[in-house]
Amino acid sequence: MNAAVLHALGKPPRFESFPEPSAGEGEVIVNVRAAALKPVDKAMARGEHYASFRELPVVCGLDGAGRLEDGSRVVFAGPRRPHGAMAQRTAVARARCFPIPDGVDDDSAAALLNPGMSAWFALTWRAQLAKGETVLILGATGVTGKLAVQIAKLHGAGRVVAAGRNEPVLSTLGSLGADATIRLDTPDQDLTAVFVREAGAIGFDVVIDFLWGHPTEVLLATLGRADFAAARSRVRLVEVGESAGPAISLPAAVLRSTKLEILGSGSGAVPPLDTIVDSYHQMMSYAASGELRVDTERVSLAGIEAAWERQHLQGRRLVVIP
Ligand SMILES: NC(=O)c1ccc[n+]([C@@H]2O[C@H](COP(=O)([O-])OP(=O)(O)OC[C@H]3O[C@@H](n4cnc5c(N)ncnc54)[C@H](OP(=O)(O)O)[C@@H]3O)[C@@H](O)[C@H]2O)c1
């Protein structure tokens, strides 16, 4: 069968033939229809992710959408290595396959699974977002950030402030529910002033952070200012991604002088299985009703090397079609 096969960390995978998977105990074979190409797939292939590959060659792709042998449509996550999602077929634990409702196409289902669940868990399970609260999203112009804007509103956020660099994408976020946008590519002093202005009198209750690095440092320095320290509530900052950098410098005084709480959300910090399943069904029902949208662009599996190098995707998710 055809697959996107990784032979060396730090290089793109190659389109080539790979042995067919066979189902082991508790597993099914999925005929893949669409596999999302995400930052985490690239980070794993670079060897820079905590779940990076230890043995090569391996087929890339953490998740996707496809058909089981009985014809049912499913999304799946975590194929058994060396198999992956970017292939014509893959082997996955049956328990890691979930039905796709009518009204959600394969490309959208594949594109939604990882970022949608991630944004959902960060807001609901980690931050415990309450109705009426103010949410700041750092990195709102990415696929996961755009979903976080929508999911925050669907969960009753009173005000969503969306921060990113890409002005054309920022200008679309109002239609997804953002109440205000912040341009991050401004000098620190100006950015600080904008954070203060958008926080208003009550501050941010929740920060969902897909960036880390310098934008987070500017925000934290702002939170430490006296005008912010008076904010009425706990500030729950959930660290989800590191598009702007893997590390920050955190002044101790910020933790002592504010009600800041820093949490993480990722594969090592997930809710119990019943919460995962319930959240998935709720998320997909919002997608089926058109209340949750993800922008996708199809690329062929044969073109994986060029697709792998693509940058500046304008808030769209590439979806690999085998
Ligand atoms: N922990 C989890 O479970 C989980 C799940 C999903 C995603 N993530 C992580 O979250 C991050 C974003 O994912 P995504 O799906 O939204 O990716 P994406 O669609 O590729 O978008 C990338 C985002 O990062 C921003 N960005 C990139 N470099 C930047 C920089 N140097 N400074 C400031 N902003 C920068 C982009 O801003 P502009 O477009 O405005 O330039 C855009 O908002 C990634 O690190 C990803 O691995 C984690």
Side-chain angles (χ1 to χ4, degrees):
M1 66 169 183
N2 295 326
V5 184
L6 185 75
H7 289 273
L9 296 179
K11 304 269 189 208
R14 299 200 299 251
F15 174 70
E16 58 187 44
S17 185
F18 198 78
E20 286 282 347
S22 57
E25 177 79 23
E27 291 181 341
V28 287
I29 298 299
V30 181
N31 292 290
V32 181
R33 294 296 180 95
L37 172 46
K38 307 171 295 302
V40 64
D41 296 306
K42 294 185 176 185
M44 287 176 65
R46 288 194 303 269
E48 293 173 0
H49 193 269
Y50 51 80
S52 282
F53 307 114
R54 294 199 178 81
E55 289 176 24
L56 299 171
V58 68
V59 177
C60 292
L62 273 181
D63 50 31
R67 302 279 186 283
L68 299 184
E69 277 157 4
D70 64 5
S72 55
R73 299 171 66 225
V74 295
V75 290
F76 61 90
R80 173 172 46 81
R81 294 179 187 178
H83 298 289
M86 295 177 193
Q88 291 177 293
R89 283 166 289 284
T90 195
V92 192
R94 181 70 187 84
R96 289 169 170 264
C97 296
F98 302 96
I100 303 173
D102 293 344
V104 181
D105 60 58
D106 293 337
D107 295 11
S108 300
L112 273 170
L113 183 64
N114 171 286
M117 296 302 284
S118 166
W120 189 286
F121 294 149
L123 283 157
T124 62
W125 187 65
R126 294 302 263 168
Q128 298 278 315
L129 174 67
K131 286 198 189 330
E133 288 191 318
T134 297
V135 179
L136 169 66
I137 296 172
L138 291 180
T141 45
V143 171
T144 317
K146 287 168 63 180
L147 289 165
V149 169
Q150 298 171 74
I151 292 168
K153 276 293 178 176
L154 289 168
H155 280 90
R159 180 169 158 78
V160 174
V161 179
R165 298 180 305 183
N166 185 319
E167 175 56 26
V169 179
L170 270 180
S171 69
T172 67
L173 298 183
S175 68
L176 297 182
D179 298 285
T181 57
I182 292 177
R183 282 203 61 163
L184 291 175
D185 52 347
T186 50
D188 290 358
Q189 206 176 345
D190 298 346
L191 183 55
T192 299
V194 179
F195 279 143
V196 169
R197 187 188 73 214
E198 293 301 339
I202 56 173
F204 299 115
D205 300 295
V206 171
V207 180
I208 305 296
D209 188 353
F210 298 105
L211 302 180
W212 212 236
H214 191 64
T216 303
E217 290 179 333
V218 176
L219 174 70
L220 292 177
T222 311
L223 293 182
R225 290 163 48 121
D227 39 0
F228 249 98
R232 67 172 182 194
S233 74
R234 298 152 55 217
V235 181
R236 290 96 77 199
L237 186 154
V238 185
E239 204 298 303
V240 189
E242 51 182 68
S243 292
I248 61 165
S249 169
L250 173 60
V254 171
L255 292 174
R256 294 199 307 274
S257 63
T258 69
K259 302 181 186 79
L260 177 66
E261 297 171 13
I262 301 181
L263 307 150
S265 183
S267 61
V270 288
L273 184 60
D274 55 347
T275 305
I276 294 176
V277 173
D278 187 49
S279 303
Y280 170 77
H281 289 301
Q282 287 184 54
M283 181 182 81
M284 281 304 192
S285 97
Y286 281 126
S289 66
E291 293 169 274
L292 187 61
R293 303 198 302 271
V294 63
D295 295 320
T296 59
E297 179 184 332
R298 300 184 126 207
V299 292
S300 73
L301 181 60
I304 189 65
E305 284 190 55
W308 203 263
E309 307 293 352
R310 293 264 307 271
Q311 305 284 336
H312 309 300
L313 293 164
Q314 307 293 329
R316 286 190 309 273
R317 178 63 85 227
L318 295 186
V319 178
V320 179
I321 309 299

